[in-house]
Amino acid sequence: MTESPWMTLQETADYLRMHVRTVQQKCLEYDRSDGKRGLKNMQPSGPDGKRFVHIDDANRWMEKQPPSRGIRRFRVAS
């Protein structure tokens, strides 16, 4: 089984070495700014409503580059 490039907010916080609340705030900042600032994330529809961050987007945010454009496909392992 291959490891997914998608991380939960807790995994993202561990990866970026910051508190999970800070990651949540940066994700909300991305949503509120129409994708101009903050940490790009996605929230697939479903009963749990968890947010996920792609590792490439976390790396871009760490390097202070603008968020990537376009939509990444999210696949749930079956």
Side-chain angles (χ1 to χ4, degrees):
M1 183 172 130
T2 61
E3 193 169 321
S4 173
W6 293 97
M7 301 181 287
T8 63
L9 293 188
Q10 182 61 55
E11 292 168 339
T12 304
D14 294 341
Y15 180 73
L16 297 175
R17 300 177 125 199
M18 56 180 49
H19 198 274
V20 69
R21 290 253 180 162
T22 306
V23 174
Q24 288 173 337
Q25 290 172 348
K26 295 300 175 186
C27 289
L28 289 174
E29 181 181 343
Y30 177 83
D31 295 341
R32 291 179 184 145
S33 70
D34 292 328
K36 294 184 175 118
R37 294 185 319 271
L39 181 58
K40 185 174 181 179
N41 64 95
M42 73 159 314
Q43 186 175 11
S45 59
D48 55 5
K50 292 183 181 179
R51 288 184 183 268
F52 293 93
V53 176
H54 197 277
I55 192 164
D56 293 341
D57 295 325
N59 289 333
R60 287 180 66 87
W61 184 80
M62 240 183 346
E63 295 168 359
K64 299 186 182 193
Q65 294 179 357
S68 62
R69 296 173 147 268
I71 298 172
R72 296 188 190 276
R73 299 290 179 203
F74 182 80
R75 295 190 184 179
V76 178
S78 48

